[in-house]
Structure formats: structure tokens, C-alpha cells
Amino acid sequence: MRTQVGIVGAGPAGLLLSHLLALRGIDSVVVEIRSRAYCEARQRAGVIEDGSVRLLREAGLAGRLDREGLEHGGIYLQFAGERHHIDFRELTGGRTVTVYAQTEVVKDLIARRIAAGGALHFEVTDTEVDHLESERPVLRYTDATGVRHEVTCDAIAGCDGFHGICRLTIPPGLTTVREREYPYAWLGILADVPPSTDELIYSHHRDGFALHSLRSPTVSRLYLQVEPDESIVNWPDARIWAELARRFELPGTGWELKQGPVLDKGITPMRSYVSAPMRYGRLFLAGDAAHIVPPTGAKGLNLAMADVSVLAPALDALLSGDDGPAAAYSATCLNRVWRATHFSWWMTTMLHRTPGADEMAAELQLSQLRYVVSSRAAATSLAENYTGYPPVPAPAALAS
Ligand code: FAD
Ligand code: DHB
């Protein structure tokens, strides 16, 4: 078999890349170990930056997002029994974010690739990438019926997430890894109950962080800081709701957390990780395959989309004999990746309770929070990072 770009992984990075390449007339084959149903149901991110929305719109992918996505012009920061609004629109000259679940982005992308006749193979096993230093790298996989395939490509995109195989094929001496693990995790729930808030609430509490997000006018998404090795069996629904209610409570205001049936729950570890460079020969890593941020800044999905918006034109140029943009790919992406890595680390360490931290550390966190909600300069810094920095969408993902 022959294709121009072999893509490993049908997450947001792999699917969007395949679509952006198709818009440029470039063929790809996408292989994915999970089933279509699993990919469409996996609960993950929910906040899409301005630039990512614009990218999806320009790529003709925003029909449902424009109808069902909820535009948010700010967030609430809560600490010490006070809730403060950070007004993104006012602080950044009109920039916003859109609440639209990653599951919906993935559903839209899969439907579009299938409607366009794109090669998208689910439930593959034994994925391998080979001959990466040659001009004809190879992608091998076994399809769902047990037939082994070998696809000769011009380039391979490793979009297979943090636990994928592509990053591991790069000889260890050629990459630099920067990593930090955090001493806490997030327990996330999806609940069949209208949100108790109009905008997201990030709450710092002495017993741990909590986040109130949403998916629609009738479905809420909430997160709780828990121990890093916590087991979900220790968290029956009643305990989750009691802990959430405590961490969001605002005595004397009449505000109450609405509770409802839990539709999904899971625990996510927290890690910062950057592997550089994001290219080895004709293998290009994109999204979580190359970098992970803790979710507090809502950046993971947006970084995955930003990477492939740079990769699509770079591959287009490479396939026409110009290696310039491909040579710049890693450095271009890492600039945004490191900004998001810093912002996510900053939000995370400002808002979570660090086990064993002393009163000095707690006072420093509170001082930082007070500064953010009282200084226009500090609030603007949060607002411009949260809505996406650099603010301009990555260069011409679509133009030929
Ligand atoms: P992924 O979405 O991980 O996609 C990679 C795909 O590759 C997967 O479908 C995987 O099955 C497939 N794959 C792996 N190995 C192979 C193989 N060998 N062969 C073929 N296919 C393979 N970000 C936020 O901004 N906010 C959040 O709240 C948030 N919550 C998260 C919760 C969880 C549990 C996780 C894991 C991540 C979360 N993230 C969040 C991060 C965000 O969801 C990711 O950054 C985003 O999914 C990255 O997209 P991606 O396409 O790079 O990787
Ligand atoms: C969501 C997740 C995040 O990590 C975040 O910072 C904001 C919202 C969400 O799933 O809705």
C-alpha cells in the first residue's frame, strides 16, 4: 500500500491533520488502536481557544460547534470564601473561549473523514513505524480482521498520544525530555444536571482544588483534586458531591451546587512533559505524543490543534521538495508549547493544595490569587494566556 502521510492515532491531532492534508489534496492513512465508539466517548477536555475555533471554522469543521458551543467571556477564581470574575473580553480586547467537548470535536472529525472517503482504520494492533530516516518511511499495522498491512509513506505523523509508540522509536540520545509530576490527580465527573454557574469556577480550597465546568445547558462537568494514587472505588457519588459542595460553598450568598446523576467518572494523573525536538527524519510528533500539560490551564487539546495547523503546511512543502517549513516545525511548535507549559504549571501550583506544604506556601498562594484578582496587569496576563498565546492562529494552515 502507498500513501503520502501515514498518521498514527485518531485523536484530535491525527484526525484534524488528516482533514487539513485532504484540503490540500494530500492523501493520508490514519490507524487507531481503539474502536470508533471508544474514541467518540472518551471524556477529556472541554475548552477551545479563540484561535482553535477560528482554525476549525476556516477548515469547514465548525457547523455544530457554532450551533452548540457555548462562548465564555471569562472565568471565576474562588479562594478564601470569595468568588471573583476575570473578564477576558474586557481585558484582551474581545477574546473569548468556547466550551465544546473534545468528544464532540472528535465525532465531527471522524464523520467528516468518513464522509470524504478518508482511510481511517480503527481497532488496529501491532502498529510499527520504520525507515524514518529515509524518504520512504513505512507504517505497519494489523487490521481488525487480522490482516497485516505495510504502507509506504512520504512522511509519518506520530499523533498517538502520550502512551503511543512513535516517540519511543526516536533514538534516546537524540531527544531532550523535560518532565514534572505533580503530587495530586483530578477526579472528573460528568453529571446529568444543569450547571450551577454561567462560567467556569476554579476554586482554591484548603482541602484541595475544585473546578466547575459544563458541557451543555443540561450537563455539568466537575473536577476534584485527589491523591495521585487515589482509586475511584473510594469515591462513591455521594462522597464526590459532598466534597464538591464543600469546596465551592459561598456562605451567606445563597449560591448552591446542584447535584444530579453521575454519567461518567475517572481519575487523571497530572504531569508536565516536553520531548524535543518534535521531528526525527520523516517522523513528526504532534499533540500529546510530544508534550503533556496538567489540565488546569485547559491547554492540551488546543496545543494538539496548534501543532497540526503548523504541520499540515510544513508537510505540503516537504512533499513538494521544500524542507524549510518542516525544518522549522519543531521550534515553531515548541514556542507555544513552552508558553502553555508555563501557564499550566502556574495555574496548577497556584490553585492546588500541595500535600505537606507549610503555612508559608499557603499564604504565598493566597497572595498570588489576590494579586491576580486585584491587579489589571496580572488579570490580563491570565486572560491572554487562557484565551491563547500567541493569540494569532498559527500561520496559514489552509492556504496553499
Ligand atoms: P490523544 O487524544 O491521546 O489521541 C491519541 C490517539 O492515539 C488515541 O486515540 C490512542 O488510542 C491512539 N493510539 C495510541 N497508541 C497507538 C498505536 N500504537 N497505534 C495506533 N493508535 C494509537 N486537556 C484539557 O485541555 N482539559 C482537560 O480537561 C483534559 N482532560 C484530560 C483527561 C484525560 C484522562 C487525558 C488522558 C487527557 C486530558 N486532557 C485534557 C488532555 C487532552 O485531552 C489531550 O491533550 C488531547 O487529547 C491531545 O490530543 P492528541 O490527539 O494529541 O492525543
Ligand atoms: C475543562 C477541563 C479543564 O482542564 C479546564 O481547565 C477547564 C475545563 C472541561 O473539561 O470542561
Side-chain angles (χ1 to χ4, degrees):
M1 275 168 75
R2 177 82 177 91
T3 192
Q4 288 172 292
V5 181
I7 300 178
V8 185
L15 291 165
L16 180 57
L17 178 64
S18 161
H19 177 79
L20 294 177
L21 291 173
L23 292 179
R24 292 168 171 271
I26 297 171
D27 259 14
S28 63
V29 170
V30 182
V31 299
E32 164 62 49
I33 45 175
R34 302 288 193 168
S35 67
R36 176 177 180 181
Y38 183 94
C39 292
E40 293 186 341
R42 186 167 40 193
Q43 292 302 321
R44 289 190 169 177
V47 173
I48 307 189
E49 294 170 3
D50 248 3
S52 309
V53 169
R54 223 170 313 153
L55 172 66
L56 292 172
R57 217 170 261 152
E58 284 168 19
L61 290 164
R64 207 155 64 87
L65 184 154
D66 279 334
R67 287 193 304 277
E68 297 174 20
L70 303 167
E71 192 178 29
H72 280 201
I75 56 168
Y76 296 102
L77 281 183
Q78 180 171 332
F79 56 94
E82 305 158 19
R83 188 175 292 169
H84 299 264
H85 189 236
I86 306 287
D87 188 334
F88 297 160
R89 279 198 190 88
E90 203 254 323
L91 291 164
T92 63
R95 285 164 53 196
T96 58
V97 293
T98 297
V99 175
Y100 188 68
Q102 179 169 329
T103 46
E104 305 312 306
V105 174
V106 165
K107 282 183 208 163
D108 295 345
L109 281 163
I110 291 176
R112 183 58 75 85
R113 292 307 300 133
I114 288 176
L120 179 46
H121 304 292
F122 290 100
E123 296 179 78
V124 307
T125 49
D126 301 313
T127 316
E128 286 176 353
V129 294
D130 206 354
H131 305 303
L132 301 171
E133 286 174 283
S134 79
E135 291 190 358
R136 291 288 177 275
V138 164
L139 167 64
R140 292 187 205 98
Y141 65 95
T142 302
D143 71 22
T145 66
V147 177
R148 187 87 182 141
H149 298 268
E150 177 164 309
V151 190
T152 304
C153 312
D154 297 317
I156 291 180
C159 302
D160 48 349
F162 187 66
H163 300 289
I165 50 120
C166 289
R167 188 179 67 251
L168 304 176
T169 62
I170 305 178
L174 299 183
T175 54
T176 304
V177 171
R178 302 285 180 238
E179 186 170 17
R180 177 148 307 176
E181 288 197 10
Y182 298 86
Y184 28 78
W186 276 15
L187 189 166
I189 64 165
L190 193 66
D192 192 11
V193 61
S196 309
T197 180
D198 56 341
E199 289 184 337
L200 274 60
I201 308 170
Y202 286 79
S203 178
H204 172 279
H205 189 277
R206 52 180 304 119
D207 296 334
F209 171 72
L211 169 61
H212 191 331
S213 181
L214 52 138
R215 287 292 175 266
S216 73
T218 58
V219 176
S220 299
R221 176 83 170 143
L222 298 112
Y223 299 93
L224 270 181
Q225 176 184 349
V226 294
E227 300 294 314
D229 52 357
E230 188 58 281
S231 166
I232 198 75
V233 299
N234 295 332
W235 288 86
D237 297 355
R239 181 178 178 202
I240 296 174
W241 284 117
E243 195 61 27
L244 285 167
R246 226 153 52 76
R247 295 191 196 178
F248 288 118
E249 78 176 343
L250 273 185
T253 61
W255 185 88
E256 267 193 17
L257 182 67
K258 294 184 206 123
Q259 306 188 3
V262 173
L263 305 171
D264 183 276
K265 60 180 166 180
I267 293 185
T268 309
M270 311 264 285
R271 181 189 278 119
S272 298
Y273 181 100
V274 181
S275 174
M278 291 166 60
R279 175 187 186 181
Y280 169 60
R282 289 263 173 140
L283 171 69
F284 297 82
L285 300 179
D288 279 16
H291 43 73
I292 294 270
V293 288
T296 327
K299 292 288 165 228
L301 170 60
N302 291 292
L303 285 179
M305 293 200 258
D307 284 353
V308 297
S309 77
V310 180
L311 186 53
L315 290 175
D316 195 356
L318 183 71
L319 271 44
S320 318
D322 173 10
D323 187 60
Y329 168 68
S330 180
T332 304
C333 291
L334 286 170
N335 183 42
R336 177 181 292 273
V337 166
W338 274 112
R339 177 85 305 276
T341 301
H342 177 270
F343 176 66
S344 304
W345 164 85
W346 177 77
M347 287 283 280
T348 300
T349 52
M350 175 170 73
L351 286 163
H352 289 70
R353 182 185 59 82
T354 303
D358 59 12
E359 288 304 318
M360 175 80 184
E363 292 295 347
L364 289 173
Q365 279 183 318
L366 285 174
S367 172
Q368 179 66 37
L369 283 160
R370 285 208 177 88
Y371 181 49
V372 170
V373 301
S374 61
S375 153
R376 186 178 177 87
T380 304
S381 171
L382 188 155
E384 80 175 357
N385 277 282
Y386 195 98
T387 54
Y389 193 89
V392 184
L398 308 165
S400 291

